[in-house]
């Protein structure tokens, strides 16, 4: 089965402008939302109990492994939804998890991770790629290697797009092990925001809204560049450099 669906080629500069717009849109939304809730990136993880912090990477890696299977499995029964529906569902999950405090948030974590991955797969399909193929599933997980919205760098670091791993036996497991620590930090910040007394449900809804918006936008960047590399017959690394240059010009 092919991992890409044929469609008319796109103008390179126009498409890079569109991708840059998605990248800019990823930044800011989460920070503004969390700041409105009184949350700040610095010190959020310190608010979590030590035993939760210590086990966060392992729990995230386990949730991501399960989510890879679950997200793909649900595609057979439930069609891809519009991005606003994905955001609404994860927002509701976050509210429910935050209402139950830290125990509820920990229970909600695997469900939210699955929904995030499913939303990323939906963007891949929208861009013309088949999420059932190994290489596309691989890149869906790689989207999580971008910083979370609390650490968004406005284009200073697009290295996650350039880092490539060979698709050999066990590559997905190796990728998950590599992505898990960074994703654990992002989700740890989310969990900490959900422990805010009284505002836990609001914080849970707000952070899930921010993270779903963020990763869907990053997925548009990931698969937009991959698609453009095929259409324009250009190395993806070259396109990443051109995208970085665009971002630098706009923030300088």
């Amino acid at each position: 089965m092919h991992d890409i669906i044929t469609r008319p080629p796109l103008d390179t500069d126009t498409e890079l402008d569109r991708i840059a717009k998605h990248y800019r849109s990823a930044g800011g939304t989460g920070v503004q939302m969390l700041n409105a809730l009184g949350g700040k990136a610095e010190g959020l993880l310190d608010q979590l109990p030590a035993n939760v912090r210590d086990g966060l990477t392992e729990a995230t890696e386990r949730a991501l492994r399960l989510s890879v299977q679950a997200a793909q499995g649900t595609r057979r029964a439930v069609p891809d939804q519009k991005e606003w529906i994905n955001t609404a569902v994860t927002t509701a999950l976050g509210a429910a998890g935050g209402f139950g405090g830290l125990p509820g948030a920990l229970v909600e974590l695997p469900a939210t991770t699955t929904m995030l991955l499913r939303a990323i797969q939906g963007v891949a399909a929208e861009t013309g790629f088949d999420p059932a193929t190994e290489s596309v599933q691989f890149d869906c997980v790689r989207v999580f290697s971008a910083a979370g919205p609390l650490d968004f760098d406005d284009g200073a670091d697009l290295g996650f797009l350039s880092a490539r791993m060979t698709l050999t036996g066990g590559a997905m497991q190796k990728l998950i092990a590599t992505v898990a620590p960074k994703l654990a930090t992002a989700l740890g910040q989310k969990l900490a925001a959900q422990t805010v007394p009284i505002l836990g449900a609001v914080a849970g809804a707000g952070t899930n809204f921010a993270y779903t918006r963020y990763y869907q936008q990053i997925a548009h960047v990931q698969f937009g560049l991959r698609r453009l590399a095929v259409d324009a017959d250009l190395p993806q690394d070259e396109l990443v450099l051109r995208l970085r240059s665009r971002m630098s010009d706009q923030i300088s």
Side-chain angles (χ1 to χ4, degrees), residues 120-131:
I120 292 167
Q121 290 178 345
V123 173
E126 178 187 336
T127 312
F129 292 95
D130 182 359

Side-chain angles (χ1 to χ4, degrees), residues 32-193:
Q32 293 166 12
M33 175 64 70
L34 292 173
N35 282 343
L37 296 171
K40 298 186 184 298
E42 297 82 3
L44 272 181
L45 288 176
D46 294 337
Q47 299 176 19
L48 292 173
N51 64 319
V52 174
R53 290 198 308 270
D54 293 342
L56 195 54
T57 297
E58 181 180 350
T60 302
E61 184 172 339
R62 183 168 57 250
L64 194 52
R65 291 181 192 278
L66 293 173
S67 296
V68 168
Q69 301 172 359
Q72 181 58 31
T74 61
R75 297 183 61 82
R76 302 187 186 96
V78 181
D80 289 323
Q81 302 298 317
K82 294 184 181 298
E83 292 185 14
W84 71 266
I85 295 179
N86 293 329
T87 304
V89 171
T90 56
T91 299
L93 283 172
F99 186 78
L102 182 59
L106 288 170
V107 171
E108 170 244 334
L109 178 63
T112 292
T113 305
T114 300
M115 278 300 304
L116 289 174
L117 189 56
R118 179 62 198 271
I120 292 167
Q121 290 178 345
V123 173
E126 178 187 336
T127 312
F129 292 95
D130 182 359
T133 61
E134 184 179 16
S135 64
V136 176
Q137 291 179 17
F138 194 80
D139 273 359
C140 286
V141 174
R142 287 184 67 245
V143 170
F144 284 122
S145 63
L150 286 174
D151 297 316
F152 186 79
D153 57 13
D154 205 10
D157 180 14
L158 290 167
F160 79 99
L161 292 168
S162 298
R164 306 298 298 178
M165 298 176 66
T166 304
L167 281 175
T168 58
M172 179 65 82
Q173 302 307 315
K174 180 180 179 181
L175 176 65
I176 289 175
T178 301
V179 167
K182 179 170 285 191
L183 183 60
T185 299
L187 295 182
Q189 293 166 342
K190 185 184 96 68
L191 288 176

